[in-house]
Amino acid sequence: MDMDGASSVVLQALTQATSQDTAVLKPAEEQLRQWETQPGFYSVLLNIFNNHMLDVNVRWLAVLYFKNGIDRYWRRVAPHALSEEEKTSLRAGLITNFNEPVNQIATQIAVLIAKVARLDCPRQWPELIPILLESVKGQDGLRQHRALLTFYHVTKTLASKRLAQDRRLFQDLASGIYSFACSLWSHHTDCFLQQICARDEAAALGSLERSLLSLKVLRKLTVFGFQEPQQNVEVMGFLNAVFERLRQFLECSRQVGPNSSCREKLEKIIILYTKALLDFLEYHPCAFIPLIQRSLEFAVSYLFTPAGEGVTFERFTVQCMNLIKLIVKNDAYKPSKNIDDSKPESLEAHKIKTAFFTHPTLTEIGRRLVSHYFLLTEEELAMWEEDPESFAVEETGGDSWKYSLRPCAEVLFLDIFHNYNQTLIPGLLDMVQNLQGPTNVEDSAQLLMKDSVYNAVGLAAYELFDNVDFDQWFKNQLLGELQVSHHRYKLIRRRVIWLIGQWISVKFKSELRPLLYEVILSLMQDPDLVVRIETATTLKLTVDDFEFRTEQFLPYLESIFGLLFQLLQQVTECDTKMQVLHVISCVIERVNMQIRPYVGCLVQYLPLLWKQSEEHNMLRCAILTTLIHLVQGLGAECKNLYPFLLPVIQLSTDVSQPPHVYLLEDGLELWLVTLENSPAITPELLRIFQNMSALLELSSENLRTCFQIVNAYLYLSATDFLQNYAESLCRSFCNLLKDITNEGQGQVLKVVEIALKVSPILGAHMFQPLLPAVLRGIVAGERYPVVMSTYLGIIGRILLQNSSFFSSLLTQMASECSQKMEQLLASVIEMWVDRMDNITQPERRKLSSLALLSLLPSDNSCNMLHKIDTIITIWVPV
């Protein structure tokens, strides 16, 4: 590509590619795509995005095309790879200046330099790091920031490489630049603290940004740059300094106030400090041992004492909780049951933890977790009132809920309770005792506290097994709580039914189940939607429990199932509908055929729900699961569902339809159970099999289910099925056998064996192209026992049920092998007798014995005489 002439045409194409008019945009994109492999194209792009006079959107697009080109054409082995000369020129051009004025473009340039560094640094690009370090030392603020931004992205990318040789290179780099990185971080951090004290927020913001970037570099070097970081004084010095820096930044965040321009970046850098500690703990648990004491003191101080009041914010609190949790549950810090087998590091860590977690400390942590961090917030209560369904979705594990404060507090509580239950149990039981009896509905604080305490008792159910008589508590206390119908008491009704769900598989007498079903029946009619949804979830846990007795549940089945169906209609969120459908599926699965009288409304509603969920494939998966259990419950009556059921199966298993990515597995399962429960084949059911050829070509993990479906068709109506599909099926099998595991080969042959069993004449004729390979496998002495056993089963069945076909097959094979038929038969008999022990199934052994004996009165008896004693030895016990 001629540089002088190319710059203008590439610039024009990039300008057109930023257009909103598709008539202009599409041809420009196509032209740029064609130029991607032209020599000199990326040099032109470099000149364009380095020209600060051009339009920002054009420069941005030039950077993106350059970055994508690195992924496609930078490696030497790539098709249309860039020449070494051009790459040398590009590397030099990328680091000639760090003065990009636009932040977004500067970040993209830093990322693309890091991509090149991943492939070329340090061997082909040894000058990169020295130039970056020199630029970082400069006095020009913009140049210094851009170089530091690039330095971070390069460090991050090199740290992510995982090959042993790459790790050693990064460790060499880290040891060479760590001192400089530490001094850089320290300098920018001190500058920020001085400027913020002087109330110079504009200057402080710039220093804070540089401190943040230098800390990001230092974090990667610390975590990934040293094999034994505990032996490096500077590394341990940095990590010990983290705690003091955190205190300083937390104090700054208190001083600057919520509306300060520094506030957002202050919170970012505070979180980054905690990430440095968490990452180091994860990757170097033994090296972290000297930091355990300070980490626990720091985290517990800010979370569970007045020191954190007015200073902490949610993400910081979550990080501190994670720090405590990882120290408490870290396997490297737990001694072996036999102390003599323990590593010294484990004993030392355990000693530090034991000294720290005293009885008063643990008691206060447990109390504060329950009484402070478990409490529902005002925002959550408002959400419950304004959008109860969304609240219910979040409470059952919505994406934002997983990473919020309360679930993190619950996980920490569980981990601490598990490790120190003997210390924490008495305190929790005291809290329960103090809340006995119904709570005044006007006392919001007490209602919230009871909700939190009951939450703790539910979470710790397994740990409290020996300390709580849940059956008595259920009868004497919890039942009464559930009968308080006041609007404000919905908080407790919902928590109590959740609590019962947590204990149902831990300690709940079978005799109390009917009483529980009455409670569930009542709460499924509660005026509050959240209570009804939580009750449905507890119902699922109840019927899922191994002590579930169908006969106890049957008197309530009609009413509860009707209420579940009403709930399914009432909720509007996709996640909630899925949740209720899973409950319905579970109930149908457990009561099986007893559900038949009550499913009419559900059967009428599911087609409508399927249509409404066209854009929600996960909801459609839940519908498929419900249909699977519904078909199993209905048995032969499932034929009445065919007008809805068969199109659903057709769509779910059609690999040409995009939804199959989500629906295929459940769709195949539904197809199989439909066949297993169908009383007879229908043309519509037969027509669906047109989807199977493409499914067999996929050779996916669903292949086993596909074979089961084929077998089900054979058992249901072999003649109709084979006449319509045997030819295409045989072709698919021939292709499959070229590249399939021994287990898969056995599955294919089993289909052929079943076809011969249910339709001997038609089966042998339709699958004739596969049979010579079976004979060849026997003569060659197939080594895999399952395959050999199936080979012998197939030939035995042909010999017994269609002897003339066997003779013609033998003649055909003898001709192909240029052998006499008698010789070929002798080889088959020889191997058959020799491998009889491969056949373990009694039915197949009997079949083989009869097949061998059937040869005795034939023209081929001479081949049998020298084996007669062995054949009799096989035949008699069979």
Side-chain angles (χ1 to χ4, degrees):
M1 182 175 274
D2 175 41
M3 293 287 287
D4 295 330
S7 293
S8 58
V9 293
V10 172
L11 180 59
Q12 183 183 6
L14 286 168
T15 305
Q16 291 171 342
T18 62
S19 171
Q20 300 298 313
D21 183 355
T22 54
V24 177
L25 171 70
K26 293 296 181 184
E29 286 182 334
E30 178 60 27
Q31 181 62 73
L32 289 165
R33 190 185 63 77
Q34 291 175 9
W35 284 336
E36 283 180 357
T37 56
Q38 292 294 312
F41 176 62
Y42 296 95
S43 299
V44 174
L45 291 177
L46 176 64
N47 290 336
I48 289 173
F49 68 70
N50 274 339
N51 186 345
H52 303 162
M53 303 299 291
L54 296 175
D55 180 70
V56 170
N57 292 324
V58 172
R59 295 174 58 230
W60 168 268
L61 198 58
V63 174
L64 293 185
Y65 269 96
F66 193 111
K67 192 173 69 170
N68 293 336
I70 295 169
D71 293 331
R72 293 172 186 162
Y73 309 116
W74 199 273
R75 287 180 174 83
R76 292 179 185 176
V77 295
H80 310 291
L82 275 72
S83 68
E84 291 302 315
E85 294 77 14
E86 185 173 5
K87 287 199 289 184
T88 301
S89 171
L90 291 172
R91 284 193 293 261
L94 285 170
I95 53 175
T96 50
N97 54 67
F98 294 102
N99 58 352
E100 172 56 54
V102 181
N103 286 331
Q104 294 90 335
I105 294 179
T107 301
Q108 291 301 318
I109 292 173
V111 170
L112 72 84
I113 290 174
K115 282 179 173 287
V116 176
R118 182 180 183 87
L119 300 170
D120 290 358
C121 185
R123 290 186 179 86
Q124 286 82 33
W125 207 4
E127 67 272 20
L128 173 63
I129 300 299
I131 287 176
L132 286 173
L133 297 182
E134 192 61 35
S135 300
V136 166
K137 293 175 186 176
Q139 297 303 308
D140 182 283
L142 180 64
R143 182 176 174 81
Q144 187 188 61
H145 177 273
R146 298 316 192 215
L148 190 52
L149 178 66
T150 305
F151 187 31
Y152 159 61
H153 280 285
V154 169
T155 308
K156 177 185 176 182
T157 301
L158 295 179
S160 69
K161 299 178 80 171
R162 289 291 172 260
L163 293 177
Q165 185 179 10
D166 293 326
R167 286 186 177 185
R168 284 194 294 271
L169 286 171
F170 186 71
Q171 287 164 8
D172 291 343
L173 170 67
S175 62
I177 66 172
Y178 197 82
S179 294
F180 173 76
C182 277
S183 63
L184 192 68
W185 159 73
S186 185
H187 167 72
H188 289 306
T189 304
D190 289 338
C191 285
F192 164 74
L193 293 170
Q194 290 164 11
Q195 289 158 349
I196 205 72
C197 286
R199 308 284 184 184
D200 186 356
E201 282 209 10
L205 191 60
S207 295
L208 182 57
E209 173 68 21
R210 290 168 179 77
S211 178
L212 181 64
L213 285 172
S214 55
L215 178 58
K216 286 181 176 182
V217 171
L218 207 48
R219 174 188 167 210
K220 294 297 179 183
L221 294 175
T222 301
V223 175
F224 300 106
F226 300 90
Q227 199 161 0
E228 295 181 336
Q230 68 271 29
Q231 296 180 6
N232 188 296
V233 176
E234 286 183 305
V235 170
M236 299 311 291
F238 161 69
L239 289 166
N240 275 294
V242 163
F243 300 102
E244 184 55 35
R245 291 302 194 189
L246 270 169
R247 287 190 175 90
Q248 291 171 337
F249 278 104
L250 285 164
E251 188 57 36
C252 281
S253 70
R254 189 210 301 264
Q255 291 174 5
V256 300
N259 299 320
S260 167
S261 57
C262 292
R263 180 74 190 191
E264 184 181 348
K265 277 201 166 49
L266 264 173
E267 292 192 358
K268 276 187 179 180
I269 202 165
I270 289 167
I271 294 303
L272 192 59
Y273 276 115
T274 60
K275 283 182 177 179
L277 292 172
L278 286 165
D279 287 352
F280 194 76
L281 171 56
E282 180 183 353
Y283 287 97
H284 305 284
C286 292
F288 194 87
I289 290 171
L291 302 167
I292 290 176
Q293 181 75 23
R294 290 196 70 179
S295 298
L296 291 173
E297 287 173 352
F298 176 85
V300 169
S301 169
Y302 277 99
L303 296 189
F304 303 110
T305 72
E309 292 176 7
V311 178
T312 58
F313 53 95
E314 184 168 305
R315 282 194 67 200
F316 171 72
T317 304
V318 167
Q319 292 292 90
C320 287
M321 286 182 176
N322 287 335
L323 188 59
I324 298 171
K325 179 186 72 175
L326 289 178
I327 291 172
V328 167
K329 67 183 294 188
N330 201 305
D331 290 335
Y333 301 160
K334 294 177 181 177
S336 302
K337 290 183 179 179
N338 183 357
I339 297 296
D340 295 336
D341 296 335
S342 301
K343 295 178 180 178
E345 298 91 342
S346 300
L347 292 173
E348 183 185 355
H350 182 67
K351 183 180 177 182
I352 295 168
K353 288 197 312 182
T354 304
F356 179 82
F357 286 114
T358 60
H359 188 280
T361 301
L362 283 168
T363 303
E364 183 60 17
I365 289 173
R367 187 190 70 77
R368 287 273 293 173
L369 280 170
V370 175
S371 64
H372 180 68
Y373 292 108
F374 278 19
L375 294 176
L376 287 171
T377 64
E378 289 183 11
E379 292 80 6
E380 288 169 327
L381 292 171
M383 188 182 193
W384 187 335
E385 291 295 335
E386 295 163 12
D387 190 357
E389 196 172 337
S390 294
F391 173 82
V393 169
E394 289 296 303
E395 285 290 294
T396 52
D399 288 339
S400 60
W401 183 85
K402 293 176 194 172
Y403 306 107
S404 57
L405 182 55
R406 190 153 48 85
C408 290
E410 291 174 356
V411 172
L412 177 60
F413 173 81
L414 273 172
D415 287 325
I416 291 181
F417 211 93
H418 178 71
N419 285 276
Y420 302 101
N421 52 29
Q422 294 307 309
T423 305
L424 292 169
I425 283 173
L428 182 57
L429 293 180
D430 286 344
M431 295 176 88
V432 173
Q433 188 61 40
N434 293 335
L435 292 167
Q436 287 297 304
T439 302
N440 185 349
V441 294
E442 303 298 330
D443 191 344
S444 299
Q446 277 295 90
L447 287 173
L448 288 169
M449 179 59 72
K450 179 174 275 190
D451 176 76
S452 295
V453 172
Y454 283 5
N455 187 13
V457 175
L459 292 171
Y462 286 98
E463 307 294 339
L464 294 169
F465 180 86
D466 295 322
N467 303 92
V468 173
D469 186 343
F470 192 80
D471 295 328
Q472 287 300 315
W473 193 30
F474 171 70
K475 288 188 292 185
N476 300 335
Q477 166 80 13
L478 299 180
L479 271 178
E481 305 261 32
L482 292 170
Q483 289 163 7
V484 180
S485 59
H486 194 280
H487 173 71
R488 291 182 184 171
Y489 219 74
K490 65 184 181 182
L491 194 71
I492 305 304
R493 294 197 300 275
R494 171 246 180 184
R495 181 57 70 188
V496 168
I497 197 64
W498 171 88
L499 175 64
I500 293 167
Q502 303 309 298
W503 276 84
I504 198 75
S505 61
V506 179
K507 184 191 282 187
F508 199 90
K509 284 183 181 175
S510 180
E511 307 89 79
L512 292 174
R513 295 296 173 105
L515 188 56
L516 174 58
Y517 297 141
E518 289 180 13
V519 166
I520 288 172
L521 186 57
S522 172
L523 290 180
M524 286 294 294
Q525 301 170 72
D526 194 278
D528 186 78
L529 180 62
V530 175
V531 174
R532 298 201 299 276
I533 292 171
E534 196 63 69
T535 304
T537 303
T538 295
L539 173 63
K540 180 180 183 298
L541 294 169
T542 305
V543 299
D544 255 348
D545 185 52
F546 72 95
E547 286 195 11
F548 174 77
R549 301 286 180 271
T550 306
E551 64 276 9
Q552 289 180 318
F553 184 64
L554 285 179
Y556 309 94
L557 174 59
E558 181 178 5
S559 300
I560 287 177
F561 195 81
L563 291 167
L564 278 174
F565 175 64
Q566 285 180 24
L567 181 61
L568 179 64
Q569 290 177 301
Q570 289 163 0
V571 296
T572 56
E573 295 276 345
C574 180
D575 287 339
T576 324
K577 283 191 178 290
M578 285 168 57
Q579 188 179 340
V580 178
L581 275 171
H582 284 312
V583 180
I584 290 173
S585 296
C586 195
V587 170
I588 294 172
E589 183 182 17
R590 295 311 298 264
V591 301
N592 205 357
M593 291 185 295
Q594 308 279 1
I595 199 65
R596 291 180 183 178
Y598 316 118
V599 295
C601 292
L602 179 65
V603 167
Q604 291 175 10
Y605 177 66
L606 285 178
L608 175 62
L609 184 59
W610 180 265
K611 187 176 181 180
Q612 291 172 344
S613 62
E614 191 171 355
E615 302 300 320
H616 303 283
N617 287 309
M618 297 313 294
L619 177 54
R620 285 194 160 186
C621 286
I623 296 171
L624 287 172
T625 303
T626 304
L627 285 170
I628 289 167
H629 296 306
L630 195 56
V631 168
Q632 290 171 326
L634 290 173
E637 292 180 18
C638 73
K639 66 180 184 296
N640 298 325
L641 295 181
Y642 281 2
F644 167 55
L645 198 59
L646 301 189
V648 166
I649 296 171
Q650 167 73 37
L651 174 70
S652 305
T653 60
D654 184 352
V655 297
S656 67
Q657 298 290 332
H660 90 273
V661 176
Y662 303 93
L663 309 179
L664 180 57
E665 186 173 351
D666 292 318
L668 287 171
E669 186 67 26
L670 177 60
W671 192 357
L672 179 60
V673 299
T674 301
L675 289 167
E676 289 173 342
N677 289 277
S678 291
I681 200 74
T682 66
E684 295 78 17
L685 195 55
L686 204 56
R687 199 175 299 124
I688 301 175
F689 197 81
Q690 292 171 359
N691 287 355
M692 185 57 71
S693 293
L695 290 167
L696 292 174
E697 286 175 16
L698 283 179
S699 297
S700 66
E701 64 275 6
N702 297 308
L703 210 50
R704 182 185 293 273
T705 310
C706 291
F707 289 136
Q708 290 174 326
I709 289 168
V710 175
N711 293 339
Y713 271 106
L714 285 168
Y715 282 124
L716 193 59
S717 180
T719 302
D720 290 337
F721 175 66
L722 290 172
Q723 284 175 346
N724 281 277
Y725 294 110
E727 188 177 341
S728 63
L729 194 60
C730 191
R731 279 198 304 272
S732 297
F733 283 176
C734 286
N735 292 329
L736 268 177
L737 289 171
K738 293 174 185 175
D739 182 25
I740 198 170
T741 63
N742 286 326
E743 185 183 0
Q745 194 175 352
Q747 292 289 329
V748 171
L749 295 169
K750 187 177 179 183
V751 172
V752 177
E753 189 177 17
I754 290 171
L756 292 168
K757 180 179 179 180
V758 296
S759 183
I761 306 297
L762 192 57
H765 175 71
M766 293 296 187
F767 288 110
Q768 195 275 335
L770 291 170
L771 298 178
V774 172
L775 265 181
R776 282 194 292 269
I778 294 173
V779 174
E782 166 63 46
R783 293 183 179 181
Y784 191 59
V786 173
V787 174
M788 187 60 161
S789 171
T790 313
Y791 279 164
L792 296 175
I794 289 170
I795 294 302
R797 200 165 286 282
I798 292 173
L799 191 55
L800 275 178
Q801 298 177 329
N802 199 347
S803 57
S804 60
F805 185 85
F806 176 76
S807 298
S808 63
L809 178 65
L810 208 60
T811 304
Q812 175 194 338
M813 284 295 298
S815 174
E816 289 176 7
C817 301
S818 302
Q819 255 185 313
K820 290 185 177 180
M821 190 177 77
E822 292 79 8
Q823 291 175 318
L824 181 60
L825 181 60
S827 300
V828 170
I829 294 168
E830 179 82 24
M831 194 55 68
W832 201 332
V833 171
D834 186 54
R835 293 296 184 86
M836 193 70 175
D837 287 340
N838 286 167
I839 307 173
T840 55
Q841 300 96 320
E843 182 186 357
R844 275 191 185 157
R845 287 184 68 84
K846 182 178 180 182
L847 181 73
S848 283
S849 299
L850 291 170
L852 285 168
L853 287 171
S854 72
L855 290 170
L856 283 173
S858 71
D859 296 336
N860 303 305
S861 303
C862 57
N863 290 317
M864 305 286 290
L865 294 178
H866 67 289
K867 288 286 183 182
I868 191 65
D869 53 340
T870 310
I871 292 171
I872 290 174
T873 305
I874 292 168
W875 174 62
V876 170
V878 170

